[in-house]
Every structure is written in C-alpha cells, then in structure tokens.
Amino acid sequence: NQGQGGTVQGRESVNTPALQGQGIALSLFTVEEGGQNLIHYHPRATELLYVIKGTIEVGFTDTTGTLHANTVKAGQATVFPRALLHFQRNIGKGTSQYISMLNSENPGVMSFPRVFATLPADILAQALRTPIEDIRALQSRVVPPQLSAGGENPDYDGAAGPNGNAPVPALGGYMPAMPAGDKTKEELYQTLLAYLKK
C-alpha cells in the first residue's frame, strides 16, 4: 500500500497462508523522512514494533488520556497495547524502516482519518466545538474514493494512498524545509544566542 510518505506491506492470514492458524500478522513499513504512519488502532491485537533502520518517534494514548511518547532507533523495539490509538513518525534523516508484529491473525486496523470521516459531521462538530462546514471540509480531504458515497471523492488529497491507510508525508509545520544558506555561522550563532536569552 503506497502513500505519499512511504509504503506498508501487510501480511495477515487472509493474504499469507503460512500465517493461518499461527495467531500473528505483520507489516513492513518504509517511511520517508518526516513521513508518518497515521494515528490508528488495532481492535483485536497488541503490537510489537521493531526498528530496522532510522529513528522514529512513537506514541500512544492510554485510557486515562496520557500520551506515552518515545524515540526508537534501529535495533530497538516498543509495544502498543491492544485497541489504543498510536502513531509512528520518521524523525531521522533519510528513510526509516520497521516491522510491526501483531498477536492476531486478523488484528484489524482503523486509522483516525477513517474514523473521523465516517462519523456524522454534526456529532464531530459538537465534540470538537467546530463549525460543521469546517468538519465536512476536513472529512472530504481524508476519505479515499472507495470509502466515499458513490465511490468518488474529487477532494481526497491522496496523501494516505488509494486505501487511505498508508504513511503520509510531513506537513509544513512539523519538519520545515531549512532556509537557504545565506547567513554566516556567526550570524546563525548570534540568532541562537538571542533566542536562548528570551
């Protein structure tokens, strides 16, 4: 499954006979610099994630609303408890690669955009205290055509691939492009000092 921020190659018992009866599923992720695996959860599985290459930021929110975030580097692993919202984001230089192993042949996956897009706009508007028109505009951007009424959605941005659940690229706010090198080291140093004095 190809998205604008990378690929995910998933294997479950449905598409991999060797996994049938084993109680596991796995996926290999290749995420471009700044790319993110969308916020999602697995209703039927706990996930063990092992980083093969690169550095990623991971996090999940527990049932008390506490965010548990961590930086995971190549050779390290982390766990996401069953049915809790979680994410992965490539914060290193270059492409990251990791494998996700789940303790269910059919773990299921629900990405936040899919959940957001399928809930009634008026319910979301009330919950988020946001005008319903804004909610509808946001919903139209994140729903792939096959999940839209009539199988069409000209507003879908395509970032999460054709199925709406592949890694997405970084938005401008998280990892901004570095400015052109028009300042000397001394000017940059002085800018940093001024910032630190604030």
Side-chain angles (χ1 to χ4, degrees):
N1 192 4
Q2 177 74 47
Q4 293 176 7
T7 60
V8 56
Q9 297 167 280
R11 292 288 169 238
E12 297 177 352
S13 61
V14 174
N15 59 15
T16 308
L19 295 178
Q20 291 178 357
Q22 302 305 313
I24 59 171
L26 58 101
S27 295
L28 174 66
F29 288 81
T30 303
V31 181
E32 301 303 323
E33 187 172 322
Q36 175 182 316
N37 187 20
L38 295 169
I39 300 167
H40 64 285
Y41 69 94
H42 306 284
R44 297 178 292 277
T46 294
E47 177 177 353
L48 172 65
L49 183 147
Y50 177 80
V51 178
I52 300 166
K53 177 175 124 180
T55 302
I56 63 173
E57 177 187 26
V58 300
F60 69 89
T61 302
D62 69 20
T63 57
T64 68
T66 302
L67 173 65
H68 300 272
N70 201 1
T71 298
V72 185
K73 299 178 179 182
Q76 297 179 330
T78 191
V79 172
F80 302 112
R82 176 188 316 261
L84 294 182
L85 286 170
H86 59 280
F87 69 90
Q88 303 93 36
R89 174 171 45 196
N90 180 354
I91 60 171
K93 293 291 182 192
T95 302
S96 68
Q97 201 167 46
Y98 53 91
I99 191 163
S100 163
M101 298 156 277
L102 302 116
N103 67 342
S104 170
E105 289 182 35
N106 183 17
V109 63
M110 278 299 290
S111 69
F112 179 76
R114 281 183 176 204
V115 172
F116 181 81
T118 57
L119 291 172
D122 62 326
I123 298 296
L124 287 168
Q126 182 69 20
L128 299 173
R129 304 293 191 257
T130 302
I132 194 167
E133 300 79 26
D134 294 349
I135 296 295
R136 286 187 178 131
L138 287 169
Q139 286 178 316
S140 71
R141 283 202 337 247
V142 300
V143 182
Q146 71 271 21
L147 298 178
S148 303
E152 295 181 18
N153 182 1
D155 297 324
Y156 176 53
D157 67 9
N163 296 320
N165 60 357
V168 298
L171 290 176
Y174 176 67
M175 293 184 74
M178 296 303 293
D182 57 350
K183 292 188 178 187
T184 67
K185 285 183 184 180
E186 181 60 29
E187 290 172 318
L188 291 172
Y189 179 70
Q190 293 303 320
T191 301
L192 176 62
L193 285 179
Y195 174 78
L196 293 173
K197 288 179 183 178
K198 288 183 183 179

